[in-house]
């Protein structure tokens, strides 16, 4: 036990966040608000046969982190097939660059972004030729 099995992204504007994650990563959402007692949408992030986990977007319960503040919690990183195309989608859908693309030599391309709700997340494209 102890394996990560679920994540929650806290958001102010649920519809905007659903649009962002749906457009950028192709996620779909299921309304679990009745069970949670607040706006809460389960995020289906991919095929159950592939590695990964599902999570949720939930209504933020306090003020978001200040712009420019260092990360003081968890950051989720999404695996992507095409780093540059995903970055384009992030920017087109209102996201911003937090830390530009960099190589994890011999392993992957990595970078961090800020979603429309001010949350930091990463994207990761495996590539043994990264340098």
């Amino acid at each position: 036990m102890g394996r990560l099995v679920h994540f929650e992204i806290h958001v102010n504007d649920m519809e905007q966040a659903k649009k962002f994650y749906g457009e950028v990563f192709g996620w779909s959402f299921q309304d679990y608000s009745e069970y949670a007692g607040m706006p809460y949408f389960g995020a289906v992030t991919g095929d159950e046969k592939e590695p990964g986990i599902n999570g949720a977007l939930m209504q933020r319960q306090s003020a978001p982190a200040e712009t420019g503040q260092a990360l003081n919690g968890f950051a989720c990183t999404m695996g992507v097939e095409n780093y540059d195309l995903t970055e384009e989608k992030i920017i087109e859908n209102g996201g911003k660059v937090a830390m530009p693309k960099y190589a994890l030599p011999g392993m992957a391309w990595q970078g961090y972004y800020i979603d429309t709700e001010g949350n930091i997340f990463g994207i990761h494209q495996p590539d043994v030729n990264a340098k």
Side-chain angles (χ1 to χ4, degrees), residues 14 18-19 21 36 41 44 49 60 63 65 74 79-80 93 101 104 106 108-109 114 116 120 123-124:
M14 187 64 71
K18 286 172 25 185
K19 181 181 182 306
Y21 284 99
F41 286 79
V44 178
K49 297 175 188 145
R60 191 181 306 276
F74 288 98
V80 300
N93 285 281
K101 178 180 178 179
L104 298 170
W109 296 103
I114 302 169
T116 55
I120 295 174
I123 62 173
H124 179 96

Side-chain angles (χ1 to χ4, degrees), residues 68-102:
Q69 175 181 335
L71 181 65
N72 63 359
F74 288 98
C76 295
T77 296
M78 275 59 84
V80 300
E81 290 182 22
N82 184 319
Y83 189 103
D84 296 330
L85 179 61
T86 303
E87 181 179 70
E88 284 179 28
K89 288 181 181 179
I90 291 167
I91 302 305
E92 287 172 4
N93 285 281
K96 298 176 184 165
V97 176
M99 181 181 288
K101 178 180 178 179
Y102 61 93

Side-chain angles (χ1 to χ4, degrees), residues 6-122:
H6 183 78
F7 64 85
E8 293 173 331
I9 301 172
H10 294 236
V11 305
N12 290 327
D13 186 331
M14 187 64 71
E15 292 307 311
Q16 179 173 272
K18 286 172 25 185
K19 181 181 182 306
F20 179 82
Y21 284 99
E23 292 291 329
V24 173
F25 297 111
W27 294 0
S28 62
F29 299 94
Q30 300 169 343
D31 189 351
Y32 295 128
S33 301
E34 182 179 331
Y35 303 108
M38 71 173 86
Y40 193 98
F41 286 79
V44 178
T45 64
D47 188 324
E48 292 293 327
K49 297 175 188 145
E50 295 178 10
I53 63 172
N54 293 323
L57 301 177
M58 68 177 287
Q59 191 67 47
R60 191 181 306 276
Q61 301 297 302
S62 64
E66 296 290 325
T67 301
Q69 175 181 335
L71 181 65
N72 63 359
F74 288 98
C76 295
T77 296
M78 275 59 84
V80 300
E81 290 182 22
N82 184 319
Y83 189 103
D84 296 330
L85 179 61
T86 303
E87 181 179 70
E88 284 179 28
K89 288 181 181 179
I90 291 167
I91 302 305
E92 287 172 4
N93 285 281
K96 298 176 184 165
V97 176
M99 181 181 288
K101 178 180 178 179
Y102 61 93
L104 298 170
M107 181 193 303
W109 296 103
Q110 180 75 32
Y112 291 88
Y113 298 84
I114 302 169
D115 72 8
T116 55
E117 303 299 299
N119 298 304
I120 295 174
F121 66 93

